[in-house]
Amino acid sequence: MPDGMSSAPAPPVGRGVSALPLATLRNCFDLLVAGPSPLGLDGALVAGLPARLVALDELRDLLLAGSCPQTVRDAAWAVVLRRSRHYGGAWTVGVAGMALPALRAVAARLGGYSALDTADVQAEVLTGFLEAAATVRLDLPRITVRLRWATYRAGLAATVQQREAPRPSTDLFETLAQAEAPWFGPVPTGPDQVLTGAVAAGLLTDTEADLIAATRLDDLSISTWAGHHGMAPQRASRLRQRAEQRLADHLTDPADTSRTPRSHPSQPRPQTDADRFLPAGSRSLAEVSA
């Protein structure tokens, strides 16, 4: 494909696929462009498009066609991106839906060498795209190419961060338990007890301990945990990284008791458009699409 938003095969339908961020986005985008009044663009606004209402899925296909001039692609994308920035909601879903082929391709490429859960990779990619869609310059050519690269860089940064972050294992917890016996009281018998003791000692908040236990010990994905707690996956990932770093630092220097959490994130921040695309935010997406 000649354009930065080139297509990639859709993921196979199977167990758990419906919970993935890009599958949720696809379902909501399909609702937006279905029926007698689909979300679309007046083609008369862009020279080279049919002079009628063009549903966004049809618009996407027209812009992906090899015969479509680059000037038409840029002009059409500039219009829909301006509407997304101005109106948000359904138009933000629509813009992301138009980019789905590229988002799938980027997520698949990053997922090939990332230890992150598939849902987490897709969430990072989608969040990166939405941030780029809100800031990319519309007066320069090849908008979609620049969007795709910004999306890829965001996903790659999350992958690198995950690789560099400390990853406590059962051995780490057991070592910490032995080292901290006087501090925690009786020697904890397992990772859960170590985390409980860390909370009691003020090293971790309840939220941080639950996050580590759920995503490291119970193998729950960051996206799923974040959705259950009204938090964006990127924020949850940073929260876990800081908490695990404190655990690792304390293991290295147990005498330093100054490492305490800065705050208890008891109140989740308000949802953004990016949050609405994440697995636990599927209901919000459906509401937007209704």
Side-chain angles (χ1 to χ4, degrees):
M1 293 289 181
D3 189 72
M5 291 294 160
S6 56
S7 61
V13 177
R15 184 178 178 182
V17 169
S18 61
L20 296 176
L22 297 187
T24 300
L25 171 59
R26 179 199 61 211
N27 294 338
C28 294
F29 180 71
D30 288 346
L31 290 175
L32 284 177
V33 297
S37 301
L39 185 66
L41 181 68
D42 181 0
L45 296 175
V46 179
L49 292 180
R52 57 174 173 80
L53 180 67
V54 181
L56 293 189
D57 57 339
E58 180 187 2
L59 178 61
R60 176 189 59 197
D61 294 341
L62 289 173
L63 299 182
L64 283 173
S67 59
C68 181
Q70 185 64 49
T71 53
V72 175
R73 290 194 188 101
D74 285 336
W77 270 95
V79 173
V80 295
L81 285 168
R82 287 192 184 99
R83 293 194 177 185
S84 172
R85 295 174 184 182
H86 182 75
Y87 297 109
W91 274 100
T92 299
V93 178
V95 163
M98 287 180 60
L100 255 175
L103 299 182
R104 288 193 187 113
V106 171
R109 182 174 183 182
L110 290 171
Y113 54 87
S114 171
L116 287 172
D117 182 83
T118 300
D120 295 334
V121 173
Q122 291 191 6
E124 294 289 351
V125 165
L126 186 51
T127 300
F129 170 80
L130 292 172
E131 291 174 350
T135 58
V136 67
R137 288 187 60 175
L138 305 180
D139 58 337
L140 297 178
R142 304 187 70 79
I143 292 174
T144 54
V145 173
R146 289 183 284 116
L147 279 174
R148 178 169 178 148
W149 276 110
T151 301
Y152 179 81
R153 287 194 298 270
L156 182 62
T159 298
V160 171
Q161 181 185 55
Q162 183 272 338
R163 284 174 176 246
E164 294 177 348
R167 302 181 64 188
S169 63
T170 301
D171 290 340
L172 182 148
F173 282 117
E174 291 174 353
T175 303
L176 180 61
Q178 297 297 327
E180 292 302 306
W183 178 48
F184 286 135
V187 177
T189 58
D192 287 331
Q193 288 75 16
V194 172
L195 292 173
T196 300
V199 172
L203 184 64
L204 299 178
T205 66
D206 289 332
T207 300
E208 290 169 335
D210 179 72
L211 171 58
I212 294 173
T215 60
R216 294 302 195 192
L217 305 180
D218 297 338
D219 204 25
L220 192 72
S221 74
I222 283 280
S223 294
T224 302
W225 186 93
H228 291 165
H229 291 76
M231 190 182 297
Q234 281 187 321
R235 184 186 177 204
S237 180
R238 290 193 295 269
L239 183 67
R240 185 179 68 178
Q241 182 182 13
R242 290 193 295 267
E244 291 177 343
Q245 186 65 62
R246 284 200 302 276
L247 275 175
D249 289 346
H250 192 84
L251 178 60
T252 303
D253 185 11
D256 185 356
T257 59
S258 64
R259 300 185 184 95
T260 55
R262 294 183 179 179
S263 63
H264 287 254
S266 56
Q267 298 296 326
R269 64 170 176 77
Q271 279 197 332
T272 66
D273 281 329
D275 297 329
R276 293 182 183 137
F277 293 108
L278 306 179
S282 57
R283 182 175 63 179
S284 297
L285 268 177
E287 291 169 355
V288 169
S289 306

